[in-house]
Amino acid sequence: MNTTVEVVVVGDVLLDIDTVGTARRLSPDGPVPVIDVLKETPRPGGAGLTALLLKESGIATTLVTLVSDDEYSDQLTQTLEGVTLVTGSSGHPTPVKKRLLAEGHVVTRMDHNCSPTVPSPVTEEMLAAVRGAGAILVSDYGRGLTSDPNLRAALREVATKIPVVWDPHPNGAVPVEGVTAVTPNLTELRAAVGQDVGEHRGLSHAAAALLDQWPARSVIVTLGAKGAAMFDRDALPQYVPAVASPSSDACGAGDRFAGALTAQLATGSPLSIAVDTAVQEAGTFLACGGVAALGEETGTELPFDDLDARIAEVRKREGTIVATGGCFDLLHAGHARTLQAARRLGDMLIVCLNSDRSVSRLKGPERPIVAQEDRVELLESLECVDAVIVFDEDTPEAVLQQLRPDLWVKGGDYDMDSLPEAELMRSWGGEAVTVPYHPARSTTRLVQALNTVNS
């Protein structure tokens, strides 16, 4: 992301401490698990985590908050290295939330100093940081900072000039007038409107009620593993599905979403594009390990997008890897039936797709009709397809040699003489097979029909 983007985060900070261990035995004193502690990791919580996640993604970030003067405060400040801090005194002990995790799951959480308080007034330096911001994310964690009248006046003033995103809390303040978007999750939306919130119609009614209650331009409801839903005063609702993630710890995903949304709006992105990008970035954050991986070099490869690892996981379960291949130019019902049949033969289906150059060599300079990026997207959208690999050669033999699937599947119009991959498959114990062929369904027929219509 563009490192010239600057975001000011305003909100309550906490200290989060994760104690991580393994649970392999029960206590002799009672039927409770014994956790063998492996490590204890402190990190900022609340608005502090939001600011750190922005900084980690390459955004110049300033955090405007109130802090304590105790040992936990020093530890909290150390975890915010790289974030510009503009602070005042809270007048209260640092709130601390401790989680105990075993085998990747939260066993329990213990809160210290987290009862509601009346914070000290904000400082002039804090107000100046707000007034000088290019974009603001209010990360309200219900500790009282966002109720400060001087801060609210400053936020109301800048909301007429710059993007302001408000991430609310059930115990927090009502957003100020003119904010670009509020980002409640389902629980926060339910608390704000005082009614049960279901999906689709119920969600739309609740979002409309919130727009009547709060002076915001839009409501963006985060839906966890289902993504987010955007409700604008002058547009139809828009649902943005999330990227599937194997992570069971969703801690920080909402903060990552709100931060990415604000950063995108700061660059001038339309709200719909900003929401889509934020959903994808939140999914990437979880897929790369979430808060447990903060500060680690994760690279750009997502764990669940690492094909070798996914294949290894299937093989570990003694599952069957199935592959098929072709041009898939103008995807049609025959393709869909073949792919569905192939997937039913095993536990993972990989499609080996001819590149644009490969298709042109095989089919002629007028092909493909659909570019490979779109063909990949169409194939990946099918539930029966687990992965797509593009190859540039005339045949898939090189990519098959690399994948070494258990089955190579083609339509029933192929035979041994027209399927040279059969011998290659046998070389590592695999097998080439066919599935039923559905006549009168082909790309060539579609092209001929289109040419007839256009002539």
Side-chain angles (χ1 to χ4, degrees):
M1 191 176 288
N2 190 339
T3 56
T4 62
V5 174
E6 295 185 9
V7 174
V8 172
V9 178
V10 179
D12 312 292
V13 292
L14 309 90
L15 177 65
D16 288 343
I17 300 176
D18 278 357
T19 301
V20 181
T22 59
R24 305 288 170 82
R25 55 198 172 93
L26 294 177
S27 169
D29 302 322
V32 295
V34 175
I35 309 298
D36 292 314
V37 176
L38 301 177
K39 63 178 180 178
E40 191 169 81
T41 306
R43 67 170 183 276
L49 178 59
T50 304
L52 182 63
L53 291 174
L54 274 166
K55 189 272 295 184
E56 291 280 313
S57 62
I59 307 299
T61 307
T62 297
L63 174 60
V64 174
T65 190
L66 298 173
V67 296
S68 306
D69 185 16
D70 56 22
E71 59 176 317
Y72 284 130
S73 177
D74 294 338
Q75 195 173 7
L76 175 58
T77 301
Q78 291 172 7
T79 65
L80 287 165
E81 183 178 358
V83 176
T84 301
L85 298 178
V86 181
T87 65
S89 174
S90 71
H92 300 279
T94 301
V96 181
K97 294 186 177 182
K98 296 181 178 180
R99 300 194 308 169
L100 179 62
L101 296 93
E103 315 302 333
H105 298 278
V106 178
V107 177
T108 188
R109 194 183 89 182
M110 297 161 286
D111 292 359
H112 302 265
N113 308 320
C114 292
S115 300
T117 61
V118 178
S120 302
V122 301
T123 66
E124 286 299 324
E125 186 182 11
M126 295 168 67
L127 296 174
V130 168
R131 293 190 177 103
I136 290 178
L137 169 55
V138 179
S139 184
D140 192 346
Y141 270 78
R143 300 284 298 169
L145 175 60
T146 57
S147 297
D148 184 283
N150 292 326
L151 176 60
R152 292 180 67 81
L155 289 169
R156 193 178 301 112
E157 175 188 334
V158 299
T160 63
K161 308 170 187 176
I162 62 172
V164 176
V165 173
W166 196 293
D167 195 12
H169 189 276
N171 297 325
V174 172
V176 301
E177 184 178 355
V179 298
T180 308
V182 292
T183 59
N185 59 30
L186 283 173
T187 300
E188 292 158 350
L189 178 61
R190 186 180 298 116
V193 299
Q195 65 186 57
D196 192 24
V197 178
E199 294 184 1
H200 305 306
R201 181 177 297 179
L203 181 58
S204 296
H205 288 167
L210 191 59
L211 282 171
D212 288 338
Q213 291 179 215
W214 286 358
R217 300 179 208 169
S218 62
V219 171
I220 300 161
V221 185
T222 54
L223 304 172
K226 293 185 178 180
M230 185 178 78
F231 301 90
D232 196 296
R233 292 183 183 276
D234 302 315
L236 291 172
Q238 183 174 99
Y239 284 76
V240 181
V243 179
S245 170
S247 176
S248 61
D249 184 5
C251 178
D255 301 292
R256 185 71 188 92
F257 171 87
L261 175 68
T262 308
Q264 285 293 315
L265 292 173
T267 65
S269 292
L271 184 61
S272 59
I273 293 176
V275 172
D276 183 52
T277 301
V279 168
Q280 307 315 313
E281 291 198 18
T284 299
F285 165 72
L286 291 179
C288 289
V291 292
L294 273 177
E296 298 179 2
E297 291 294 331
T298 57
T300 57
E301 191 77 36
L302 304 186
F304 63 93
D305 258 352
D306 184 338
L307 188 55
D308 290 339
R310 295 165 71 193
I311 291 174
E313 180 63 27
V314 174
R315 295 202 189 285
K316 183 179 178 181
R317 304 194 308 264
E318 297 185 352
T320 299
I321 303 295
V322 182
T324 189
C327 301
F328 295 97
D329 197 9
L330 294 184
L331 198 63
H332 54 72
H335 290 143
R337 293 178 184 180
T338 297
L339 291 169
Q340 289 169 345
R343 181 61 176 83
R344 287 194 287 266
L345 296 178
D347 302 279
M348 181 180 192
L349 174 62
I350 303 170
V351 177
C352 303
L353 182 69
N354 293 77
S355 70
D356 286 349
R357 288 184 294 183
S358 176
V359 174
S360 293
R361 289 194 301 269
L362 295 172
K363 305 288 187 178
E366 73 283 357
R367 301 281 295 275
I369 296 170
V370 179
Q372 70 185 42
E373 291 82 5
D374 288 349
R375 290 186 284 131
V376 169
E377 185 174 343
L378 285 168
L379 287 166
E380 288 181 337
S381 72
L382 299 177
E383 188 175 357
C384 58
V385 175
D386 296 287
V388 179
I389 292 182
V390 178
F391 65 92
D392 204 37
E393 298 81 15
D394 290 345
T395 73
E397 293 187 8
V399 71
L400 285 176
Q401 183 71 48
Q402 178 185 353
L403 294 173
R404 292 177 173 258
D406 301 295
L407 294 176
W408 173 247
V409 179
K410 296 293 286 185
D413 53 332
Y414 284 85
D415 55 30
M416 290 298 292
D417 293 332
S418 59
L419 201 60
E421 296 85 17
E423 184 176 350
L424 177 65
M425 291 290 299
R426 286 195 293 269
S427 68
W428 58 75
E431 186 178 8
V433 302
T434 62
V435 293
Y437 173 64
H438 302 280
R441 293 172 179 85
S442 72
T443 300
T444 300
R445 286 177 176 268
L446 285 174
V447 172
Q448 290 172 346
L450 288 171
N451 289 335
T452 300
V453 169
N454 293 327
S455 62

